[in-house]
Amino acid sequence: MPDFLLNALLAGLALALVAGPLGSFVVWRRMAYFGDTLSHAALLGVALGFLLDLSPTLAVTAGCLLLAVLLVTLQQRQPLASDTLLGILAPTTLSLGLVVLSFMDEVRIDLMAYLFGDLLAVSHEDLLWILGGSALVMALLLPLWRRLLAITVHEELARVEGLPVAALRLALMLLIAVVIAVAMKIVGVLLITSLLIIPAAAAQRHARTPEQMAIGASLLGMLAVAAGLSLSWFQDTPAGPSIVVSAAAIFLAGFALPRRAR
């Protein structure tokens, strides 16, 4: 296997592994638009990284984390509904990123790679960043799993039981922000939320417990990565969109199987 293809496969599998449980929370809590907003903000992070002469990956991660904190703060202090607030921030951050990039005439950026991903161009340094970010998210998610599940099932009951609901909600959003920042290199800004949501939605149909859904989402995501890379390698299709198409095909195929009782 060529080195670049091995790097792409390892990066995709690592991301799919951690995107499974986080994508399950996104589905359970109906946070798809939140992920979409963060993915749009990733392009602003890229622009600021070039403007400030920083690593684009580091700038995107910092930008996503800051926006997650801003969203939580605004949701607590503003009377606007969450979907309205997200509907304002998503196009604003994306447009602001494009405007900032337009002022940098000396910088030549392949926007298609950022919008739709360039998994086959993952370098050894990118792979280390993706593996490290995925390992960090998984290491933080596992001890928080039960508490995050508790506030997902019933926030008021979790608050009565003494759980720090606001802090846990912020922790979940920050973990999703890190995954989105890491995933940008793989599937691109416009397709990140699909990798989070589609495998989790496919696993939900046949899972009996939250843990089964999280594990199933990870496995289906990894299968989508392998299938998408195979399609890209043999048919010369773009890798990121091929992974999303493979995930969608797996989701549709799931309807052919009988649904398991909860």
Side-chain angles (χ1 to χ4, degrees):
M1 181 181 294
D3 288 343
F4 74 91
L5 188 58
L6 180 61
N7 287 345
L9 180 62
L10 292 177
L13 294 179
L15 178 64
L17 179 65
V18 72
L22 280 180
S24 299
F25 280 113
V26 170
V27 171
W28 291 329
R29 298 178 65 87
R30 296 178 173 87
M31 295 173 60
Y33 207 9
F34 170 77
D36 196 51
T37 301
L38 284 181
S39 65
H40 283 71
L43 189 61
L44 176 59
V46 172
L48 293 178
F50 282 106
L51 183 65
L52 302 176
D53 196 22
L54 299 174
S55 166
T57 306
L58 182 61
V60 167
T61 305
C64 288
L65 292 175
L66 290 175
L67 185 64
V69 174
L70 176 63
L71 282 172
V72 173
T73 304
L74 291 177
Q75 286 173 347
Q76 293 174 347
R77 298 185 180 183
Q78 293 296 323
L80 292 175
S82 295
D83 59 343
T84 303
L85 189 60
L86 293 171
I88 294 171
L89 290 177
T92 301
T93 51
L94 178 62
S95 301
L96 185 58
L98 293 174
V99 169
V100 172
L101 289 174
S102 70
F103 284 116
M104 295 184 287
D105 296 331
E106 71 283 359
V107 177
R108 291 292 176 264
I109 301 173
D110 183 8
L111 281 180
M112 293 297 290
Y114 286 106
L115 293 177
F116 297 102
D118 194 7
L119 180 54
L120 295 178
V122 170
S123 64
H124 184 66
E125 181 182 351
D126 293 329
L127 177 62
L128 293 178
W129 180 264
I130 292 169
L131 293 177
S134 300
L136 174 63
V137 170
M138 188 62 76
L140 294 174
L141 180 61
L142 289 177
L144 293 175
W145 174 262
R146 286 294 177 184
R147 284 176 284 179
L148 291 174
L149 195 58
I151 68 169
T152 299
V153 173
H154 201 300
E155 279 198 3
E156 293 302 323
L157 182 59
R159 187 175 286 109
V160 170
E161 292 178 348
L163 293 179
V165 173
L168 288 170
R169 191 190 305 120
L170 176 60
L172 177 61
M173 291 184 176
L174 292 177
L175 291 176
I176 294 173
V178 173
V179 169
I180 287 176
V182 169
M184 187 188 69
K185 183 73 175 179
I186 295 179
V187 293
V189 169
L190 299 181
L191 305 176
I192 289 174
T193 48
S194 357
L195 193 59
L196 280 170
I197 296 170
I198 296 177
Q204 185 180 36
R205 180 177 173 82
H206 303 286
R208 291 181 177 177
T209 65
E211 288 76 17
Q212 284 185 5
M213 178 173 167
I215 295 172
S218 293
L219 294 177
L220 292 178
M222 295 167 77
L223 178 60
V225 167
L229 278 177
S230 299
L231 179 63
S232 177
W233 177 255
F234 290 108
Q235 300 298 326
D236 197 25
T237 57
S242 297
I243 291 173
V244 176
V245 169
S246 299
I250 293 171
F251 173 77
L252 293 176
F255 284 96
L257 300 175
R259 187 169 186 172
R260 296 179 65 183
R262 298 289 178 90

PDB file of all heavy atoms in Angstrom, residues 220-249:
ATOM      1  N   LEU A 220     -19.563   1.624  11.568  1.00  0.00           N
ATOM      2  CA  LEU A 220     -20.107   2.006  10.267  1.00  0.00           C
ATOM      3  C   LEU A 220     -19.318   3.168   9.664  1.00  0.00           C
ATOM      4  O   LEU A 220     -19.123   3.223   8.450  1.00  0.00           O
ATOM      5  CB  LEU A 220     -21.578   2.389  10.412  1.00  0.00           C
ATOM      6  CG  LEU A 220     -22.535   1.230  10.761  1.00  0.00           C
ATOM      7  CD1 LEU A 220     -23.959   1.748  10.920  1.00  0.00           C
ATOM      8  CD2 LEU A 220     -22.478   0.151   9.692  1.00  0.00           C
ATOM      9  N   GLY A 221     -18.861   4.076  10.502  1.00  0.00           N
ATOM     10  CA  GLY A 221     -18.030   5.170  10.000  1.00  0.00           C
ATOM     11  C   GLY A 221     -16.715   4.665   9.442  1.00  0.00           C
ATOM     12  O   GLY A 221     -16.248   5.123   8.387  1.00  0.00           O
ATOM     13  N   MET A 222     -16.106   3.704  10.134  1.00  0.00           N
ATOM     14  CA  MET A 222     -14.860   3.122   9.640  1.00  0.00           C
ATOM     15  C   MET A 222     -15.090   2.365   8.325  1.00  0.00           C
ATOM     16  O   MET A 222     -14.253   2.407   7.417  1.00  0.00           O
ATOM     17  CB  MET A 222     -14.273   2.198  10.707  1.00  0.00           C
ATOM     18  CG  MET A 222     -13.841   2.939  11.970  1.00  0.00           C
ATOM     19  SD  MET A 222     -13.481   1.865  13.372  1.00  0.00           S
ATOM     20  CE  MET A 222     -11.875   1.243  12.898  1.00  0.00           C
ATOM     21  N   LEU A 223     -16.238   1.675   8.234  1.00  0.00           N
ATOM     22  CA  LEU A 223     -16.572   0.994   6.979  1.00  0.00           C
ATOM     23  C   LEU A 223     -16.759   2.004   5.845  1.00  0.00           C
ATOM     24  O   LEU A 223     -16.313   1.770   4.709  1.00  0.00           O
ATOM     25  CB  LEU A 223     -17.847   0.178   7.171  1.00  0.00           C
ATOM     26  CG  LEU A 223     -18.379  -0.573   5.944  1.00  0.00           C
ATOM     27  CD1 LEU A 223     -17.355  -1.577   5.438  1.00  0.00           C
ATOM     28  CD2 LEU A 223     -19.701  -1.268   6.273  1.00  0.00           C
ATOM     29  N   ALA A 224     -17.392   3.136   6.149  1.00  0.00           N
ATOM     30  CA  ALA A 224     -17.586   4.173   5.134  1.00  0.00           C
ATOM     31  C   ALA A 224     -16.245   4.748   4.672  1.00  0.00           C
ATOM     32  O   ALA A 224     -16.056   5.036   3.485  1.00  0.00           O
ATOM     33  CB  ALA A 224     -18.483   5.278   5.683  1.00  0.00           C
ATOM     34  N   VAL A 225     -15.324   4.929   5.605  1.00  0.00           N
ATOM     35  CA  VAL A 225     -13.989   5.432   5.243  1.00  0.00           C
ATOM     36  C   VAL A 225     -13.290   4.457   4.304  1.00  0.00           C
ATOM     37  O   VAL A 225     -12.733   4.848   3.272  1.00  0.00           O
ATOM     38  CB  VAL A 225     -13.148   5.672   6.516  1.00  0.00           C
ATOM     39  CG1 VAL A 225     -11.676   5.893   6.148  1.00  0.00           C
ATOM     40  CG2 VAL A 225     -13.673   6.868   7.288  1.00  0.00           C
ATOM     41  N   ALA A 226     -13.302   3.171   4.651  1.00  0.00           N
ATOM     42  CA  ALA A 226     -12.645   2.168   3.805  1.00  0.00           C
ATOM     43  C   ALA A 226     -13.301   2.090   2.425  1.00  0.00           C
ATOM     44  O   ALA A 226     -12.616   2.035   1.397  1.00  0.00           O
ATOM     45  CB  ALA A 226     -12.693   0.804   4.497  1.00  0.00           C
ATOM     46  N   ALA A 227     -14.641   2.116   2.405  1.00  0.00           N
ATOM     47  CA  ALA A 227     -15.343   2.044   1.117  1.00  0.00           C
ATOM     48  C   ALA A 227     -15.107   3.302   0.289  1.00  0.00           C
ATOM     49  O   ALA A 227     -14.903   3.228  -0.931  1.00  0.00           O
ATOM     50  CB  ALA A 227     -16.841   1.841   1.360  1.00  0.00           C
ATOM     51  N   GLY A 228     -15.128   4.470   0.940  1.00  0.00           N
ATOM     52  CA  GLY A 228     -14.908   5.725   0.221  1.00  0.00           C
ATOM     53  C   GLY A 228     -13.510   5.820  -0.358  1.00  0.00           C
ATOM     54  O   GLY A 228     -13.318   6.270  -1.495  1.00  0.00           O
ATOM     55  N   LEU A 229     -12.511   5.379   0.414  1.00  0.00           N
ATOM     56  CA  LEU A 229     -11.138   5.388  -0.103  1.00  0.00           C
ATOM     57  C   LEU A 229     -10.971   4.404  -1.262  1.00  0.00           C
ATOM     58  O   LEU A 229     -10.260   4.684  -2.227  1.00  0.00           O
ATOM     59  CB  LEU A 229     -10.162   5.042   1.021  1.00  0.00           C
ATOM     60  CG  LEU A 229      -9.760   6.188   1.944  1.00  0.00           C
ATOM     61  CD1 LEU A 229      -8.850   5.695   3.052  1.00  0.00           C
ATOM     62  CD2 LEU A 229      -9.084   7.304   1.169  1.00  0.00           C
ATOM     63  N   SER A 230     -11.618   3.259  -1.168  1.00  0.00           N
ATOM     64  CA  SER A 230     -11.553   2.287  -2.275  1.00  0.00           C
ATOM     65  C   SER A 230     -12.170   2.874  -3.537  1.00  0.00           C
ATOM     66  O   SER A 230     -11.617   2.744  -4.639  1.00  0.00           O
ATOM     67  CB  SER A 230     -12.288   1.000  -1.880  1.00  0.00           C
ATOM     68  OG  SER A 230     -11.695   0.407  -0.754  1.00  0.00           O
ATOM     69  N   LEU A 231     -13.319   3.531  -3.368  1.00  0.00           N
ATOM     70  CA  LEU A 231     -13.961   4.168  -4.520  1.00  0.00           C
ATOM     71  C   LEU A 231     -13.070   5.251  -5.115  1.00  0.00           C
ATOM     72  O   LEU A 231     -12.925   5.365  -6.341  1.00  0.00           O
ATOM     73  CB  LEU A 231     -15.306   4.764  -4.088  1.00  0.00           C
ATOM     74  CG  LEU A 231     -16.118   5.490  -5.168  1.00  0.00           C
ATOM     75  CD1 LEU A 231     -16.528   4.533  -6.282  1.00  0.00           C
ATOM     76  CD2 LEU A 231     -17.357   6.141  -4.543  1.00  0.00           C
ATOM     77  N   SER A 232     -12.442   6.044  -4.245  1.00  0.00           N
ATOM     78  CA  SER A 232     -11.561   7.114  -4.721  1.00  0.00           C
ATOM     79  C   SER A 232     -10.338   6.548  -5.440  1.00  0.00           C
ATOM     80  O   SER A 232      -9.899   7.086  -6.461  1.00  0.00           O
ATOM     81  CB  SER A 232     -11.129   7.984  -3.535  1.00  0.00           C
ATOM     82  OG  SER A 232     -10.219   8.976  -3.938  1.00  0.00           O
ATOM     83  N   TRP A 233      -9.795   5.443  -4.913  1.00  0.00           N
ATOM     84  CA  TRP A 233      -8.582   4.861  -5.484  1.00  0.00           C
ATOM     85  C   TRP A 233      -8.848   4.225  -6.844  1.00  0.00           C
ATOM     86  O   TRP A 233      -8.084   4.424  -7.797  1.00  0.00           O
ATOM     87  CB  TRP A 233      -8.020   3.837  -4.515  1.00  0.00           C
ATOM     88  CG  TRP A 233      -6.813   3.107  -5.009  1.00  0.00           C
ATOM     89  CD1 TRP A 233      -6.744   1.820  -5.456  1.00  0.00           C
ATOM     90  CD2 TRP A 233      -5.485   3.630  -5.107  1.00  0.00           C
ATOM     91  NE1 TRP A 233      -5.460   1.495  -5.821  1.00  0.00           N
ATOM     92  CE2 TRP A 233      -4.668   2.583  -5.620  1.00  0.00           C
ATOM     93  CE3 TRP A 233      -4.904   4.856  -4.817  1.00  0.00           C
ATOM     94  CZ2 TRP A 233      -3.306   2.754  -5.836  1.00  0.00           C
ATOM     95  CZ3 TRP A 233      -3.544   5.022  -5.027  1.00  0.00           C
ATOM     96  CH2 TRP A 233      -2.761   3.978  -5.546  1.00  0.00           C
ATOM     97  N   PHE A 234      -9.948   3.497  -6.953  1.00  0.00           N
ATOM     98  CA  PHE A 234     -10.201   2.753  -8.182  1.00  0.00           C
ATOM     99  C   PHE A 234     -10.960   3.553  -9.239  1.00  0.00           C
ATOM    100  O   PHE A 234     -10.826   3.293 -10.427  1.00  0.00           O
ATOM    101  CB  PHE A 234     -10.975   1.465  -7.864  1.00  0.00           C
ATOM    102  CG  PHE A 234     -10.165   0.443  -7.132  1.00  0.00           C
ATOM    103  CD1 PHE A 234     -10.410   0.183  -5.793  1.00  0.00           C
ATOM    104  CD2 PHE A 234      -9.137  -0.247  -7.760  1.00  0.00           C
ATOM    105  CE1 PHE A 234      -9.655  -0.763  -5.099  1.00  0.00           C
ATOM    106  CE2 PHE A 234      -8.376  -1.180  -7.076  1.00  0.00           C
ATOM    107  CZ  PHE A 234      -8.636  -1.440  -5.734  1.00  0.00           C
ATOM    108  N   GLN A 235     -11.752   4.530  -8.817  1.00  0.00           N
ATOM    109  CA  GLN A 235     -12.553   5.287  -9.772  1.00  0.00           C
ATOM    110  C   GLN A 235     -12.100   6.744  -9.899  1.00  0.00           C
ATOM    111  O   GLN A 235     -12.721   7.524 -10.618  1.00  0.00           O
ATOM    112  CB  GLN A 235     -14.033   5.246  -9.358  1.00  0.00           C
ATOM    113  CG  GLN A 235     -14.618   3.849  -9.306  1.00  0.00           C
ATOM    114  CD  GLN A 235     -14.600   3.149 -10.657  1.00  0.00           C
ATOM    115  OE1 GLN A 235     -14.761   3.787 -11.701  1.00  0.00           O
ATOM    116  NE2 GLN A 235     -14.410   1.831 -10.648  1.00  0.00           N
ATOM    117  N   ASP A 236     -11.052   7.123  -9.164  1.00  0.00           N
ATOM    118  CA  ASP A 236     -10.504   8.477  -9.237  1.00  0.00           C
ATOM    119  C   ASP A 236     -11.554   9.531  -8.875  1.00  0.00           C
ATOM    120  O   ASP A 236     -11.685  10.552  -9.543  1.00  0.00           O
ATOM    121  CB  ASP A 236      -9.932   8.755 -10.635  1.00  0.00           C
ATOM    122  CG  ASP A 236      -8.998   9.960 -10.633  1.00  0.00           C
ATOM    123  OD1 ASP A 236      -8.435  10.268  -9.568  1.00  0.00           O
ATOM    124  OD2 ASP A 236      -8.864  10.603 -11.688  1.00  0.00           O
ATOM    125  N   THR A 237     -12.314   9.274  -7.833  1.00  0.00           N
ATOM    126  CA  THR A 237     -13.293  10.242  -7.333  1.00  0.00           C
ATOM    127  C   THR A 237     -12.693  10.978  -6.141  1.00  0.00           C
ATOM    128  O   THR A 237     -11.751  10.479  -5.510  1.00  0.00           O
ATOM    129  CB  THR A 237     -14.585   9.525  -6.896  1.00  0.00           C
ATOM    130  OG1 THR A 237     -14.259   8.539  -5.900  1.00  0.00           O
ATOM    131  CG2 THR A 237     -15.253   8.830  -8.074  1.00  0.00           C
ATOM    132  N   PRO A 238     -13.213  12.168  -5.787  1.00  0.00           N
ATOM    133  CA  PRO A 238     -12.691  12.883  -4.605  1.00  0.00           C
ATOM    134  C   PRO A 238     -12.939  12.075  -3.339  1.00  0.00           C
ATOM    135  O   PRO A 238     -14.033  11.541  -3.129  1.00  0.00           O
ATOM    136  CB  PRO A 238     -13.478  14.199  -4.611  1.00  0.00           C
ATOM    137  CG  PRO A 238     -14.655  13.968  -5.489  1.00  0.00           C
ATOM    138  CD  PRO A 238     -14.254  12.942  -6.487  1.00  0.00           C
ATOM    139  N   ALA A 239     -11.919  12.015  -2.478  1.00  0.00           N
ATOM    140  CA  ALA A 239     -11.958  11.103  -1.324  1.00  0.00           C
ATOM    141  C   ALA A 239     -13.032  11.499  -0.310  1.00  0.00           C
ATOM    142  O   ALA A 239     -13.813  10.653   0.135  1.00  0.00           O
ATOM    143  CB  ALA A 239     -10.581  11.058  -0.668  1.00  0.00           C
ATOM    144  N   GLY A 240     -13.057  12.785   0.074  1.00  0.00           N
ATOM    145  CA  GLY A 240     -14.019  13.230   1.084  1.00  0.00           C
ATOM    146  C   GLY A 240     -15.465  12.961   0.689  1.00  0.00           C
ATOM    147  O   GLY A 240     -16.207  12.289   1.424  1.00  0.00           O
ATOM    148  N   PRO A 241     -15.912  13.474  -0.464  1.00  0.00           N
ATOM    149  CA  PRO A 241     -17.278  13.175  -0.895  1.00  0.00           C
ATOM    150  C   PRO A 241     -17.546  11.686  -1.074  1.00  0.00           C
ATOM    151  O   PRO A 241     -18.664  11.225  -0.833  1.00  0.00           O
ATOM    152  CB  PRO A 241     -17.393  13.923  -2.230  1.00  0.00           C
ATOM    153  CG  PRO A 241     -16.433  15.056  -2.102  1.00  0.00           C
ATOM    154  CD  PRO A 241     -15.285  14.489  -1.314  1.00  0.00           C
ATOM    155  N   SER A 242     -16.537  10.915  -1.484  1.00  0.00           N
ATOM    156  CA  SER A 242     -16.727   9.469  -1.651  1.00  0.00           C
ATOM    157  C   SER A 242     -17.040   8.801  -0.313  1.00  0.00           C
ATOM    158  O   SER A 242     -17.860   7.877  -0.238  1.00  0.00           O
ATOM    159  CB  SER A 242     -15.482   8.830  -2.267  1.00  0.00           C
ATOM    160  OG  SER A 242     -15.241   9.339  -3.559  1.00  0.00           O
ATOM    161  N   ILE A 243     -16.403   9.274   0.755  1.00  0.00           N
ATOM    162  CA  ILE A 243     -16.669   8.717   2.086  1.00  0.00           C
ATOM    163  C   ILE A 243     -18.095   9.034   2.514  1.00  0.00           C
ATOM    164  O   ILE A 243     -18.814   8.179   3.046  1.00  0.00           O
ATOM    165  CB  ILE A 243     -15.653   9.277   3.104  1.00  0.00           C
ATOM    166  CG1 ILE A 243     -14.261   8.709   2.815  1.00  0.00           C
ATOM    167  CG2 ILE A 243     -16.071   8.952   4.531  1.00  0.00           C
ATOM    168  CD1 ILE A 243     -13.161   9.317   3.658  1.00  0.00           C
ATOM    169  N   VAL A 244     -18.530  10.265   2.262  1.00  0.00           N
ATOM    170  CA  VAL A 244     -19.891  10.657   2.641  1.00  0.00           C
ATOM    171  C   VAL A 244     -20.918   9.868   1.832  1.00  0.00           C
ATOM    172  O   VAL A 244     -21.941   9.417   2.370  1.00  0.00           O
ATOM    173  CB  VAL A 244     -20.084  12.169   2.450  1.00  0.00           C
ATOM    174  CG1 VAL A 244     -21.522  12.569   2.757  1.00  0.00           C
ATOM    175  CG2 VAL A 244     -19.128  12.944   3.353  1.00  0.00           C
ATOM    176  N   VAL A 245     -20.669   9.690   0.535  1.00  0.00           N
ATOM    177  CA  VAL A 245     -21.579   8.898  -0.303  1.00  0.00           C
ATOM    178  C   VAL A 245     -21.635   7.452   0.192  1.00  0.00           C
ATOM    179  O   VAL A 245     -22.715   6.837   0.241  1.00  0.00           O
ATOM    180  CB  VAL A 245     -21.132   8.958  -1.783  1.00  0.00           C
ATOM    181  CG1 VAL A 245     -21.887   7.933  -2.618  1.00  0.00           C
ATOM    182  CG2 VAL A 245     -21.369  10.360  -2.343  1.00  0.00           C
ATOM    183  N   SER A 246     -20.495   6.903   0.578  1.00  0.00           N
ATOM    184  CA  SER A 246     -20.470   5.539   1.106  1.00  0.00           C
ATOM    185  C   SER A 246     -21.265   5.449   2.407  1.00  0.00           C
ATOM    186  O   SER A 246     -22.004   4.476   2.633  1.00  0.00           O
ATOM    187  CB  SER A 246     -19.027   5.087   1.340  1.00  0.00           C
ATOM    188  OG  SER A 246     -18.290   5.093   0.136  1.00  0.00           O
ATOM    189  N   ALA A 247     -21.121   6.456   3.274  1.00  0.00           N
ATOM    190  CA  ALA A 247     -21.887   6.468   4.526  1.00  0.00           C
ATOM    191  C   ALA A 247     -23.386   6.546   4.240  1.00  0.00           C
ATOM    192  O   ALA A 247     -24.196   5.865   4.896  1.00  0.00           O
ATOM    193  CB  ALA A 247     -21.445   7.638   5.393  1.00  0.00           C
ATOM    194  N   ALA A 248     -23.770   7.370   3.263  1.00  0.00           N
ATOM    195  CA  ALA A 248     -25.183   7.476   2.901  1.00  0.00           C
ATOM    196  C   ALA A 248     -25.704   6.158   2.337  1.00  0.00           C
ATOM    197  O   ALA A 248     -26.841   5.759   2.625  1.00  0.00           O
ATOM    198  CB  ALA A 248     -25.378   8.606   1.887  1.00  0.00           C
ATOM    199  N   ALA A 249     -24.884   5.457   1.562  1.00  0.00           N
ATOM    200  CA  ALA A 249     -25.289   4.167   1.012  1.00  0.00           C
ATOM    201  C   ALA A 249     -25.488   3.143   2.133  1.00  0.00           C
ATOM    202  O   ALA A 249     -26.430   2.340   2.107  1.00  0.00           O
ATOM    203  CB  ALA A 249     -24.242   3.671   0.018  1.00  0.00           C
TER     204      ALA A 249
END
